[in-house]
């Protein structure tokens, strides 16, 4: 019997198909044509993104209710990065079943891990408050760090301040960033890409601590770097229970550019 609490997220979680989780796609717009994110394969430099309309969420919620869901937890990319949560909240107000909308304060696997935690709770038969609580507990223990070759794309999209991006460009700095309070922030400035990636690894190891953890290496067009990092991590994370390698999609690509390499760590909950 399927869980009575359904879980919804958006495509910026970059999760594979997960039982009990419904994904509402974000739109990528290029040449005046709108594509669902997974279907876009064009030039990222000429593309923009658009949040799903409230009607998309309303249709999703209605379909889940018709299929037997008695409640829904809808978990989305940080509100400081996108208006997706606002669309979900608008739709939730008139949904046929109760909907808890959660701003994950993150993106990619920083969003994906809370979604997975909620799905595990829902599959176990937990009620709406417990499923929501599982997602929020996971958010508290999840940290994301990432490296980009240049801050230009983030500056153009308004995801990082002009002052920070100009400093990096002027000094040929390789920036290390993290997601803090729902925003992308410059964390450290490193002189070379190899040192930046080594430092990325150090930061994730420190954030993981001594407990059991899950980790995800995320990249955009940097599969060799990602696989090399994934090969090193088990030797440094003594409590590593599960490791994923995830290639992110066009929505992140539009805003960060190619070459991004990220690490997300979260506490493991059996």
């Amino acid at each position: 019997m399927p869980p009575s609490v359904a879980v919804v997220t958006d495509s910026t979680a970059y999760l594979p198909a997960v039982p009990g989780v419904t994904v509402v796609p974000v739109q990528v717009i290029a040449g005046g044509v709108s594509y669902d994110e997974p279907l876009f394969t064009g030039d990222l430099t000429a593309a923009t993104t658009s949040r799903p309309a409230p009607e998309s969420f309303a249709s999703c919620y209605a379909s889940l209710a018709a299929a037997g869901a008695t409640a829904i937890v809808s978990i989305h990319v940080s509100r400081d990065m996108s208006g997706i949560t606002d669309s979900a909240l608008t739709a939730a107000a008139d949904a046929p079943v109760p909907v808890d909308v959660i701003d994950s304060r993150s993106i990619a696997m920083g969003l994906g891990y809370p979604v997975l935690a909620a799905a595990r709770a829902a599959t176990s038969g937990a009620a709406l408050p417990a499923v929501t609580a599982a997602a929020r507990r996971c958010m508290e223990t999840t940290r994301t760090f990432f490296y980009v070759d240049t801050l230009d794309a983030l500056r153009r999209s308004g995801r990082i301040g002009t002052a920070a991006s100009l400093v990096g460009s002027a000094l040929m700095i390789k920036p290390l960033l993290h997601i803090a309070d729902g925003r992308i922030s410059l964390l450290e400035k490193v002189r070379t890409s190899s040192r930046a990636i080594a430092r990325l690894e150090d930061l994730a190891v420190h954030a993981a601590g001594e407990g059991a953890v899950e980790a995800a290496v995320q990249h955009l067009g940097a599969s060799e770097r990602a696989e090399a990092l994934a090969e090193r991590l088990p030797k440094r994370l003594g409590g590593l229970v599960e490791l994923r390698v995830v290639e992110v999609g066009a929505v992140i690509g539009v805003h960060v550019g190619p070459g991004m390499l990220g690490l997300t760590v979260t506490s493991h909950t059996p």
Side-chain angles (χ1 to χ4, degrees), residues 113 116 120 212-216 237 239-244 264-269:
Y113 279 127
L116 292 174
R120 285 194 296 268
V213 295
E214 298 177 35
L237 293 173
L240 185 63
V241 175
E242 183 180 67
L243 176 64
R244 299 167 181 259
T264 299
V265 292
T266 190
S267 296
H268 172 70
T269 302

Side-chain angles (χ1 to χ4, degrees), residues 69-116:
T70 58
I72 297 167
V73 176
S74 200
I75 313 169
H76 301 288
V77 59
S78 173
R79 206 171 187 174
D80 287 308
M81 300 182 199
S82 170
I84 294 173
T85 296
D86 293 330
S87 288
L89 284 167
T90 298
D94 295 318
V97 295
V99 181
D100 278 358
V101 177
I102 299 176
D103 174 357
S104 72
R105 310 303 291 154
S106 193
I107 194 170
M109 283 306 295
L111 162 61
Y113 279 127
V115 171
L116 292 174

Side-chain angles (χ1 to χ4, degrees), residues 105-165:
R105 310 303 291 154
S106 193
I107 194 170
M109 283 306 295
L111 162 61
Y113 279 127
V115 171
L116 292 174
R120 285 194 296 268
T123 301
S124 73
L128 178 62
V131 175
T132 297
R136 293 194 180 279
R137 281 195 303 272
C138 182
M139 287 165 53
E140 292 172 0
T141 66
T142 301
R143 297 287 308 279
T144 294
F145 309 92
F146 64 104
Y147 158 82
V148 292
D149 285 319
T150 172
L151 293 171
D152 289 346
L154 282 165
R155 177 183 54 79
R156 285 195 302 270
S157 66
R159 265 58 181 188
I160 197 166
T162 302
S165 64

Side-chain angles (χ1 to χ4, degrees), residues 145-148 151 160 173-178 184-190 192-193 195-201 203 261:
F145 309 92
F146 64 104
Y147 158 82
V148 292
L151 293 171
I160 197 166
I173 292 295
K174 296 300 181 183
L176 283 174
L177 303 106
H178 67 150
I184 296 171
S185 299
L186 184 61
L187 181 62
E188 294 183 7
K189 295 171 284 187
V190 185
T192 66
S193 59
R195 289 181 181 177
I197 293 169
R199 183 60 182 146
L200 180 74
E201 185 178 331
L203 289 166
L261 188 64

